[in-house]
Amino acid sequence: MFDRPGASKSSIPFFQPFAGGIITPNEGDHVQVYRLNDQSYVAMFPLNGSQYAPTDVGPGELAFSFDADTLVRVKRRGDGKFDVSVAASGDVNISGESVLINGIDFEQHAHAYTDDGAQNVTGTPQ
């Protein structure tokens, strides 16, 4: 949205913080708009902030918050390593040619449940 008199909406490319990384604002969000050396413009990060943003994000950490229950976060530990956490208000889907959990191929360690709740182990547990 352009708040100043005489301003009009136009198609302005949105900044990508890294290859493949896209942050798009919601309609009505305020964003930073920069004029580049070639006289073109680029829009940057929404300035509205989020009521759901974590307050303890430190240097070099990332957090993507979408609602009160949905957060993707990369947090630096005291030993310099990083923890990655994903929480969602809906489903979490992980797919790929091979899905490893702690080095174990998920396809080889799957559990199936019958309608009566009895557990039937399939595959080769590891």
Side-chain angles (χ1 to χ4, degrees):
M1 295 179 83
F2 292 96
D3 292 332
R4 63 182 170 77
S8 63
K9 293 183 180 180
S10 62
S11 178
I12 298 176
F14 212 78
F15 174 75
Q16 289 182 281
F18 52 87
I22 300 171
I23 302 170
T24 56
N26 294 308
E27 185 172 343
D29 281 353
H30 290 230
V31 297
Q32 296 170 318
V33 178
Y34 288 96
R35 187 174 190 173
L36 304 175
N37 290 339
D38 65 0
Q39 305 309 310
S40 64
Y41 293 89
V42 64
M44 293 189 74
F45 311 106
L47 301 175
N48 300 41
S50 170
Q51 61 182 326
Y52 307 112
T55 57
D56 61 342
V57 178
E61 296 177 6
L62 294 172
F64 299 95
S65 178
F66 301 95
D67 64 25
D69 299 316
T70 306
L71 177 69
V72 177
R73 182 173 186 166
V74 179
K75 182 176 175 68
R76 185 186 303 266
R77 299 185 331 197
D79 62 3
K81 295 181 180 180
F82 289 87
D83 291 330
V84 177
S85 60
V86 177
S89 57
D91 294 336
V92 175
N93 296 296
I94 300 172
S95 62
E97 189 172 305
S98 178
V99 176
L100 302 177
I101 298 175
N102 288 332
I104 297 172
D105 187 342
F106 190 72
E107 291 287 323
Q108 298 301 317
H109 189 85
H111 296 268
Y113 295 88
T114 62
D115 288 340
D116 65 1
Q119 182 179 7
N120 296 307
V121 178
T122 61
T124 307
Q126 298 187 17

